[in-house]
Amino acid sequence: MKRITAVFGVVHGTIAVLFALGALALIFIAARMGYEAVVEGMGLSQAQALIEAIGILAAAVVAFQIAETITEEEVVRDANISAPTRVRRFLSRFFVVVIVALAIEGLVMTFRAVHEEAADLVYAAALLAGTGVLLAAWGYFIYCNRAAEELEPDAMKEAKEEDRKIDG
């Protein structure tokens, strides 16, 4: 069983590296887009290009956050994700980044639609509404699990001690 667990650690580590490499590629793409936009001038189309670059950077942040979460939870801590405290913490870390990225992408879509194709505002509105629903669902999840936090204070204390070890 220990060998199988070690294989899972290697697989998780590989996935985390691939997410980080993808994030780096997105950063370079966004930097290039931003540089080209600024060199071309200071007009509306350049502003749109910069806003799109910011959207790509948001996707890079998501990829890096996923890589960091996988590394910390599955490789460094070798955490048992079935523990309720771990699940709540993992989901919360993930949802923060995803919701922010979706909100930024919704704003990028809105800006683009306003200046290029007004009919696309429906899609931007749908994305932003979906992001709002996801945020509300996450808040409800946290609210419902508050009682579980109170029922397992030892698990929360253990998780906080592990945080201190990782944070140095």
Side-chain angles (χ1 to χ4, degrees):
M1 191 65 180
K2 287 184 181 185
R3 288 184 184 181
I4 292 173
T5 304
V7 169
F8 280 115
V10 170
V11 171
H12 279 116
T14 303
I15 291 169
V17 167
L18 291 173
F19 268 110
L21 291 173
L24 288 173
L26 289 171
I27 290 169
F28 288 125
I29 290 167
R32 182 173 180 213
M33 285 176 62
Y35 174 77
E36 289 174 0
V38 170
V39 168
E40 290 177 9
M42 295 292 176
L44 181 61
S45 63
Q46 290 80 19
Q48 287 177 295
L50 284 173
I51 290 172
E52 287 185 26
I54 290 170
I56 291 171
L57 284 174
V61 169
V62 171
F64 262 131
Q65 183 64 40
I66 291 170
E68 180 184 12
T69 300
I70 290 171
T71 301
E72 286 182 6
E73 297 292 333
E74 299 297 336
V75 178
V76 175
R77 292 183 186 174
D78 193 27
N80 179 6
I81 199 64
S82 65
T85 299
R86 288 277 174 232
V87 172
R88 283 189 301 280
R89 289 169 53 97
F90 181 83
L91 286 175
S92 290
R93 288 182 68 177
F94 180 73
F95 275 121
V96 165
V97 177
V98 169
I99 288 170
V100 168
L102 287 172
I104 290 171
E105 188 60 32
L107 293 173
V108 169
M109 286 178 65
T110 301
F111 188 78
R112 187 180 316 137
V114 164
H115 294 287
E116 292 177 8
E117 187 65 43
D120 289 342
L121 278 172
V122 173
Y123 302 114
L127 176 61
L128 289 170
T131 303
V133 168
L134 188 60
L135 179 61
W138 175 43
Y140 184 70
F141 172 79
I142 290 171
Y143 173 78
C144 289
N145 282 287
R146 191 182 62 208
E149 292 287 341
E150 294 168 3
L151 290 175
E152 54 181 23
D154 294 336
M156 184 53 88
K157 181 180 175 185
E158 180 182 322
K160 287 180 181 180
E161 286 175 10
E162 288 177 0
D163 286 345
R164 283 189 213 103
K165 289 178 191 175
I166 289 184
D167 292 338

